[in-house]
Amino acid sequence: MPMKKRAFLVLFALSLTTLAGCATLQSLLNGAFKKPTLKFKTARLANASLSDATVDLVYELDNPNALGLKLASVDYAFFVEGKQLVAGTPKSGVNLKANGKSQLVFPANVKFADIAPVVTTFLNKDAAAFKAQGTLGIQTPLGVLKFPLEKEGTFPVPKIPQVQFQSPRITNITLSGATVEFPLAITNRNAFPLPVAGITGALKVAGANVGNLSTGNLGMLDGSGTKQVTLPLTINFASAASAAMALRSGGNAQVSLTGNLTSDAQSVPLNLSQLLNFTK
């Protein structure tokens, strides 16, 4: 047999053996490798205020294999109330646990002014609708596996804190005026912390304008927590005759506060009116 023909036959035989080996290896991989599963876990709020919030969509990848995997690609879009927003994604190359579950977080900053022309209208909703769509690519020994990210649901809209007067206390009274301490209770109606930059407003006692109140920055309200603040005000009887009568006689008087509550960069109107018992 000529040398060239013999060499060709040897190479042909080696090629068949290699192909058969690859096919066998692929078959072994297909039999040994178990496809991971991806499921949606939750939509949660982070860093929420009355102006915006970060909405985290959390997925969980369960890898039942002894081999760790990597995130290969993400194609993702996020919508709130039908409007597409800029959303972040986990970075490609993220290691995914072997024989375990890994969380993948997709954060999106939601500015409420981008969702509704009147922010207070949006804040009066209990929940906002979201939609996520796209695909997730996971690098495996079998190549890149694609998983859908389709999900629709809702997340809670931050609620405006509840503000109430407590019984005012008259600390000093003269013929010309009185100094009164007005206690306020500010309650966070959300389960998560909420920043309150302050409360300001014009105060009336018994229908008479008596001055302005300002709490200053109240900082962060704990989730479902209440913060108490006492605001002193000196009332001039000459400019508030009806208030003078109420304060001199003691007992009950109608107290109202018209102003704003500010959280982060968003101010919302505040209108309080309560019948209060003045004590000395």
Side-chain angles (χ1 to χ4, degrees):
M1 181 181 295
M3 183 64 69
K4 288 185 178 179
K5 187 173 182 180
R6 183 179 297 171
F8 173 77
L9 290 174
V10 170
L11 289 173
F12 181 71
L14 288 172
S15 299
L16 289 177
T17 303
T18 301
L19 289 172
C22 289
T24 301
L25 178 60
Q26 188 68 30
S27 177
L28 288 172
L29 284 174
N30 286 336
F33 183 78
K34 298 177 183 178
K35 185 177 179 180
T37 57
L38 181 72
K39 68 178 181 179
F40 175 80
K41 291 293 291 182
T42 188
R44 66 192 182 200
L45 286 190
N47 304 319
S49 72
L50 297 184
S51 64
D52 67 341
T54 298
V55 181
D56 289 339
L57 263 59
V58 182
Y59 287 81
E60 185 178 79
L61 185 102
D62 187 2
N63 176 19
N65 303 283
L67 178 68
L69 306 175
K70 287 185 180 295
L71 182 62
S73 63
V74 182
D75 178 17
Y76 180 68
F78 182 71
F79 303 81
V80 173
E81 299 290 313
K83 296 185 179 182
Q84 185 171 0
L85 304 175
V86 176
T89 61
K91 293 181 180 179
S92 296
V94 169
N95 292 318
L96 304 169
K97 295 178 184 177
N99 292 321
K101 298 175 181 179
S102 301
Q103 278 198 351
L104 296 170
V105 179
F106 297 78
N109 182 253
V110 181
K111 296 187 183 301
F112 304 141
D114 294 338
I115 306 301
V118 180
V119 173
T120 50
T121 300
F122 180 81
L123 293 174
N124 283 323
K125 295 167 63 74
D126 289 328
F130 74 83
K131 178 182 178 182
Q133 61 185 37
T135 57
L136 191 73
I138 304 297
Q139 185 68 54
T140 76
L142 304 179
V144 176
L145 297 181
K146 298 284 188 177
F147 296 86
L149 292 170
E150 304 292 331
K151 182 64 183 179
E152 294 186 28
T154 61
F155 62 85
V157 173
K159 295 178 175 60
I160 299 170
Q162 181 185 60
V163 182
Q164 286 185 311
F165 280 113
Q166 306 297 313
S167 294
R169 179 170 171 263
I170 303 170
T171 59
N172 184 46
I173 189 166
T174 66
L175 292 176
S176 61
T179 300
V180 183
E181 292 181 343
F182 291 90
L184 279 179
I186 303 97
T187 301
N188 184 2
R189 299 188 294 148
N190 305 284
F192 46 83
L194 192 79
V196 177
I199 294 172
T200 59
L203 187 73
K204 289 184 177 181
V205 174
N209 293 314
V210 295
N212 296 308
L213 293 181
S214 178
T215 64
N217 194 329
L218 295 174
M220 193 70 71
L221 293 183
D222 293 335
S224 303
T226 297
K227 183 168 285 191
Q228 304 274 354
V229 59
T230 298
L231 305 175
L233 184 67
T234 298
I235 299 173
N236 187 337
F237 290 160
S239 59
S242 58
M245 292 178 61
L247 294 176
R248 283 172 177 157
S249 60
N252 297 331
Q254 196 73 26
V255 177
S256 63
L257 180 68
T258 304
N260 293 284
L261 182 149
T262 303
S263 172
D264 199 4
Q266 181 64 47
S267 290
V268 296
L270 181 67
N271 293 288
L272 299 180
S273 184
Q274 293 177 241
L275 184 64
L276 299 175
N277 180 49
F278 286 76
T279 62
K280 296 181 180 181

